[in-house]
Amino acid sequence: MLEKRDFYINGRWVAPAKANDFAVIDPSTEQQCAVISLGDQADTDAAVAAARAAFDGWSQTSKAERTALLRRLLDIYNARSEEMAQAMSMEMGAPLEMSRAQQVGAGSWHLEGFLKAFEDFSFEHDFTATEKTLLEPIGVCALITPWNWPMNQIVLKAVPALATGCTMVLKPSEIAPLSGLLFAEFVHEAGFPAGVLNMVNGDGTGVGSQLSAHPEVDMVSFTGSTRAGIAISKAAADTLKRVSLELGGKGANIIFEDAHPKAAKIGAIRCFRNTGQSCNAPTRMLVHKSRYDEAVEMAADVAVNTHVGPASEEGKHIGPVVSKTQFDKIQKLIEVGMGEARMVAGGLGRPDGLNRGYFVKPTVFADVTNQMTIAREEIFGPVLSIIPFESDEEAIAIANDTPYGLTNYVQTEDEDKRRKVARRLRSGMVETNGQGFAQGSPFGGYKQSGNGREGGVFGLEEFLEVKAVSGWAAE
C-alpha cells in the first residue's frame, strides 16, 4: 500500500485541517492500495488563498520564463513516466502496457502540443492604429478532473493555465488521486513558484462544491458527468465565474455501405478501449442494412476475443472498471439491455476465471433502436449497441437524436458524403475513416457534452480574458 500524502498548498505538503481518511481501492483486486485525506472548507480556503496571493507575481512573469518551467516539467514527466504509469494502473485499472503508452502518453503528447502552440502565441494584438487588444490570465482557476484519463485531463487544464499566467487549485478525482499527487510533485520539482499550483484532495460534494462556489475563484474547468457539470454551473452562478465543461457523450459510429471491410471490427475495438470508460467512445454503431449482419457478427467476435484481466498483467487486454459503483451501474444497464434488445456477446457478471475485481464482460447488443435505454444513457463500460439504418438521412437523424454532442464517427469511401455528413452531425468532433485528430486540435462538445474547448491554442484561450486599450499606437 502506498504511503499517504496530504495536500500541496503554497509550495509545501501540508496536513489537512482535520483528519478525514479515504481508502483508495485497486479495482483489479478490490483491496485498499492507498489512503488519502479528503479536504474540508478550511483546506479549500487555504489553497485558494495561496493561489490568490501568487497570482499578481505569476501573471507578470514573461512568456520565456513560463516556457522554461513548462519544458522542465515535461522533462520530469518523461523521466518519471514509469511511476506515473504504475500509479494510474493501480488507481483506475488501466493495464500496464496501455497505461504506459496511452494514459501516460496522453499527458506528454498534450504537454508537447501546448509548448508548440505557445511558441507563436501572442498576448497582444493591434486592433487599429491606435488601439490594442490584450489577452490576460483570468485569475485563480479551480481544476476538477476525472478518474478515467487522469493525466490527459490534468495536463489539458493545468498546463494551459500555467502557460497563460493563471494560478490554480487542482482537485483530482478522489477515486484515482495518486496520479494527481505525482503531478503536484513534478510541478514542485520543476521549480514553479509557491502558490501557483495547489492541490487538495476531496470529493465532489465537498471540495468540488466549495471551489465551484468560492468567491475568490475566477474560473472552474471541470471534466466529468453531465449531472455534475450542471451542479457545478449552478454553484458557480452566484459569483458569475467562467465555467468550462467537458462532459459526457454517446458517440455514433456511422458505417455506410461502402465503408472499410473491417470498419465494424475497428469500431468495436475502439468502443472497448479503456474498458469503455471514455466520454468520446463510439458506443452506438449505426450500420447500413446491407452491412448489418456482418457488422453484428464482427462486433460479437471482437467482444468474445477481447481478453479481460488484472491491470498488473502485461499484455494487450482491457482491465476492470474503476469502482464498485461503476460496476453495479453497468451491470444494471446490461440487464436492462437484455430486456430491450438482442444480446449477441457478453452479459452479466465477471468474465470466466475472474472472481474478484470490477471486471465486466465486453457486451454487444444488436437490433437496438435509438429510443432504448442502452442507446440513450452513457453506460461508461465495454457495452456496444448496434442500430441498423437504411438511408443517409436516417443515419444522421439517429446520430443527432441524443442529448450529447461530443464525438461522432463516419466511415465511408465517398469523400463528398463524408464531408456532408460531418457538417450535419451536431458534435464538437467528427472522426472520419479512423483518422485521428492532430496535436492541439480542439477537444470539446455541443449540447450536454459541455461548452469549452481543450488543447492547443483553443485550450490556452480558455484561460484568458480579453481587454481593449485605446490610445496605444501600433508598434
Side-chain angles (χ1 to χ4, degrees):
M1 189 172 74
L2 295 185
E3 178 185 357
K4 182 172 75 174
R5 299 300 301 268
D6 292 317
F7 308 146
Y8 183 69
I9 298 176
N10 206 26
R12 298 181 299 116
W13 293 99
V14 299
K18 62 180 181 182
N20 186 12
D21 285 353
F22 180 85
V24 180
I25 304 300
D26 180 339
S28 290
T29 65
E30 302 183 40
Q31 299 297 306
Q32 180 175 303
C33 64
V35 176
I36 60 167
S37 298
L38 298 182
D40 65 7
Q41 187 69 57
D43 303 303
T44 301
D45 289 345
V48 172
R52 177 60 64 193
F55 177 71
D56 281 349
W58 179 246
S59 64
Q60 298 305 307
T61 55
S62 69
K63 180 180 171 181
E65 289 176 278
R66 298 199 292 270
T67 298
L69 285 168
L70 288 171
R71 292 197 181 281
R72 173 67 176 148
L73 177 62
L74 176 60
D75 290 342
I76 294 165
Y77 185 96
N78 289 335
R80 299 181 64 180
S81 62
E82 182 61 21
E83 291 176 72
M84 186 62 78
Q86 295 282 345
M88 287 192 283
S89 183
M90 183 187 299
E91 69 186 0
M92 56 74 62
L96 278 170
E97 186 172 324
M98 186 263 188
S99 186
R100 292 182 184 114
Q102 298 180 44
Q103 292 281 1
V104 173
S108 55
W109 194 69
H110 286 307
L111 218 168
E112 291 166 359
F114 280 122
L115 283 166
K116 289 177 183 176
F118 200 46
E119 285 179 7
D120 299 322
F121 192 84
S122 177
F123 292 89
E124 297 183 6
H125 301 277
D126 293 324
F127 188 69
T128 68
T130 59
E131 184 174 326
K132 185 80 77 171
T133 302
L134 307 181
L135 302 178
E136 298 184 338
I138 193 168
V140 174
C141 302
L143 314 179
I144 304 174
T145 59
W147 46 259
N148 58 322
W149 288 91
M151 273 303 103
N152 184 74
Q153 292 308 133
I154 288 176
V155 169
L156 278 172
K157 298 180 190 305
V159 170
L162 291 167
T164 54
C166 295
T167 57
M168 66 215 68
V169 180
L170 169 65
K171 190 207 84 66
S173 169
E174 73 278 12
I175 297 172
L178 308 181
S179 50
L181 288 161
L182 266 180
F183 186 80
E185 284 186 21
F186 297 175
V187 169
H188 182 81
E189 186 179 340
F192 284 84
V196 170
L197 181 140
N198 306 274
M199 195 219 70
V200 178
N201 281 312
D203 57 21
T205 57
V207 174
S209 295
Q210 293 157 13
L211 287 169
S212 301
H214 205 290
E216 289 296 315
V217 170
D218 300 298
M219 173 181 173
V220 178
S221 179
F222 169 77
T223 297
S225 71
T226 297
R227 174 193 55 78
I230 291 169
I232 284 170
S233 298
K234 290 179 178 179
D238 286 344
T239 50
L240 291 176
K241 57 173 59 69
R242 184 183 298 176
V243 178
S244 178
L245 302 171
E246 195 280 285
L247 307 175
K250 194 70 179 177
N253 183 14
I254 306 175
I255 300 177
F256 287 101
E257 191 171 9
D258 64 343
H260 189 281
K262 295 184 179 179
K265 177 180 179 178
I266 295 166
I269 292 170
R270 181 71 178 272
C271 176
F272 299 149
R273 187 179 72 158
N274 202 36
T275 319
Q277 299 172 120
S278 299
C279 51
N280 61 347
T283 53
R284 291 182 299 151
M285 183 181 287
L286 281 53
V287 186
H288 189 272
K289 65 176 184 178
S290 66
R291 299 278 299 272
Y292 184 73
D293 290 341
E294 71 175 52
V296 170
E297 183 178 349
M298 204 173 287
D301 185 67
V302 169
V304 169
N305 289 288
T306 296
H307 177 59
V308 182
S312 58
E313 286 185 1
E314 297 285 353
K316 297 183 182 297
H317 59 286
I318 64 172
V321 296
V322 75
S323 67
K324 185 178 187 303
T325 298
Q326 288 300 117
F327 178 85
D328 290 344
K329 172 194 170 186
I330 294 163
Q331 294 298 305
K332 288 178 182 177
L333 285 167
I334 290 174
E335 187 173 17
V336 168
M338 291 168 69
E340 290 182 322
R342 175 167 60 99
M343 189 177 72
V344 295
L348 295 171
R350 298 181 180 89
D352 292 343
L354 296 167
N355 58 13
R356 178 179 288 274
Y358 306 125
F359 299 101
V360 175
K361 295 176 183 177
T363 299
V364 178
F365 289 104
D367 304 343
V368 177
T369 70
N370 207 47
Q371 301 312 309
M372 291 179 181
T373 300
I374 54 173
R376 307 300 297 177
E377 293 195 21
E378 186 181 35
I379 299 172
F380 229 60
V383 181
L384 174 65
S385 296
I386 308 182
I387 303 172
F389 70 86
E390 295 189 9
S391 68
D392 295 0
E393 288 298 319
E394 184 185 11
I396 293 166
I398 293 171
N400 286 335
D401 181 21
T402 172
Y404 299 107
L406 188 59
T407 311
N408 285 306
Y409 301 77
V410 177
Q411 321 297 334
T412 176
E413 296 303 312
D414 184 330
E415 184 72 20
D416 185 58
K417 178 189 289 188
R418 193 151 48 98
R419 292 176 178 178
K420 286 180 178 178
V421 172
R423 287 184 179 278
R424 293 186 60 191
L425 292 174
R426 298 292 295 166
S427 58
M429 297 168 285
V430 179
E431 180 183 300
T432 72
N433 287 356
Q435 177 64 54
F437 295 102
Q439 201 170 47
S441 178
F443 188 101
Y446 291 7
K447 301 187 283 185
Q448 291 187 28
S449 288
N451 58 15
R453 292 296 181 270
E454 296 182 318
V457 171
F458 302 91
L460 294 168
E461 291 174 345
E462 283 285 300
F463 292 91
L464 293 168
E465 293 278 25
V466 180
K467 177 185 286 184
V469 182
S470 66
W472 190 329
E475 297 171 1

